[in-house]
Amino acid sequence: MSRFELTIWGARGSIPAPAAANTRFGSDTSCVELRCGDHVIVLDAGTGVVGCGRKLYNGEARDIDVLLTHCHFDHIIGLPFFMPLYHAGTQVRIHAGHFEDDTTCREMVERFMCPPYFPVTPKQFAADIKYCDFRPPDVLDLFPDLRVRTVRLNHPNGAVGYRVEYGGRAVCYITDTEHRPGGLDQGIIDLVAGADIMIYDSMYTDEEYPKYRGFGHSTWEEGVRLCRAAGVPRLVAFHHDISRTDTWLADLVGRAQAVFPGTLVAETGLTLDIAERVRIVEAS
Ligand SMILES: [Zn+2]
Ligand SMILES: [Zn+2]
């Protein structure tokens, strides 16, 4: 099959965490790039999307689908700095489906890129932009060979989980969501069942979780339970709290792999080859 690759551009949650102690796992907020043959998908537009956009622009990617989980700042703050938006001759489709009212994707971008909060408005985009609204569990057939399934997540103001299917393989991106202790989220299990990989909101540990009930986030242990229940061999712990240092996250790798050997901890620059049943290509 042709290539199916995943690259992490930002793995933090809430706000960037630049610090000397965070150079390995990175400081940028949520952004994951998928290359599905010639198709380009960008999951979320946190600060990580800035570097991603520069690479796509220089690599002459001229047709891009941006799938937003929701519009909390850590998932959209990089969008105004996404270079392909300012290049005539590029097509960018921005998808959002988390709204709990009749807000549209276009309205969300216009309200957020707007003085006095930001001087540049979407009118200055030079690319051909399409705003695409959907409602989970809609299925998005982006191309004949590329299907995206969706599920509503449990998060303040709403969020959407995605399953991207290409070439007989599937990658799931499940952030931000809060689990309900005592029972797994059946909607998530149904979405991720049999996938090759699940990127999952691992903001907290089970031990910490009771202090953060209602904050809208989950734990890496819940990610393991979901993977086991849904037959997913590979978990990528994602959306790291800003307090997590390289030392803490490196320790998590060992602790999590002792419980579920298929666990990886997301770090900026990590590339996984999904077509090869998940092989680590490079890690910064
Ligand atoms: Zn977040
Ligand atoms: Zn959020």
Side-chain angles (χ1 to χ4, degrees):
M1 68 180 283
S2 56
R3 83 165 157 164
F4 190 8
E5 263 180 22
L6 172 167
T7 300
I8 305 282
W9 286 93
R12 293 276 166 187
S14 306
I15 195 165
N22 296 344
T23 51
R24 174 179 163 192
F25 287 87
S27 57
D28 283 314
T29 67
S30 303
C31 180
V32 176
E33 173 195 358
L34 296 180
R35 304 302 289 254
C36 315
D38 293 334
H39 311 307
V40 181
I41 289 183
V42 177
L43 294 160
D44 276 335
T47 60
V49 87
V50 183
C52 175
R54 195 177 304 121
K55 194 198 93 174
L56 292 176
Y57 178 80
N58 292 334
E60 305 202 338
R62 298 291 179 254
D63 191 274
I64 300 165
D65 284 281
V66 177
L67 303 178
L68 300 174
T69 56
H70 62 310
C71 57
H72 286 162
F73 289 147
D74 51 325
H75 299 258
I76 61 168
I77 199 76
L79 192 69
F81 300 90
F82 187 56
M83 278 178 71
L85 296 172
Y86 301 92
H87 179 256
T90 295
Q91 296 189 45
V92 182
R93 292 171 294 278
I94 305 174
H95 305 258
H98 65 286
F99 304 109
E100 295 173 327
D101 57 18
D102 57 1
T103 301
T104 66
C105 181
R106 173 190 289 271
E107 288 168 350
M108 181 272 288
V109 175
E110 286 176 349
R111 288 180 197 168
F112 140 71
M113 291 184 62
C114 172
Y117 304 105
F118 197 73
V120 177
T121 75
K123 288 195 176 66
Q124 285 154 274
F125 291 159
D128 175 14
I129 312 289
K130 286 202 169 50
Y131 297 95
C132 308
D133 294 287
F134 67 91
R135 284 289 177 271
D138 285 356
V139 174
L140 317 178
D141 281 316
L142 300 185
F143 296 94
D145 58 346
L146 179 54
R147 171 166 285 186
V148 178
R149 299 179 193 275
T150 65
V151 70
R152 189 167 286 284
L153 300 177
N154 180 35
H155 194 62
N157 318 122
V160 174
Y162 292 103
R163 175 191 176 105
V164 178
E165 298 177 348
Y166 180 73
R169 302 278 160 85
V171 172
C172 299
Y173 181 64
I174 310 294
T175 197
D176 300 15
T177 196
E178 180 164 353
H179 59 287
R180 296 176 175 88
L184 298 175
D185 186 323
Q186 193 59 44
I188 293 176
I189 291 177
D190 291 345
L191 185 84
V192 308
D196 295 274
I197 188 161
M198 179 177 76
I199 301 168
Y200 188 71
D201 181 341
S202 303
M203 186 99 158
Y204 307 124
T205 65
D206 274 358
E207 189 184 353
E208 295 165 334
Y209 171 72
K211 283 187 291 187
Y212 301 103
R213 203 179 292 270
F215 281 36
H217 295 287
S218 194
T219 71
W220 68 267
E221 292 99 326
E222 184 74 4
V224 170
R225 290 187 283 272
L226 287 164
C227 280
R228 284 188 173 138
V232 179
R234 182 71 79 178
L235 168 69
V236 178
F238 188 78
H239 205 275
H240 308 314
D241 185 86
I242 55 170
S243 68
R244 308 306 194 201
T245 61
D246 287 340
T247 307
W248 194 95
L249 291 165
D251 184 61
L252 174 61
V253 175
R255 284 189 290 137
Q257 288 183 348
V259 175
F260 189 69
T263 308
L264 293 173
V265 174
E267 60 181 87
T268 299
L270 177 71
T271 296
L272 302 175
D273 186 341
I274 314 300
E276 292 287 325
R277 279 259 176 249
V278 184
R279 179 168 57 87
I280 299 174
V281 175
E282 68 184 61
S284 58

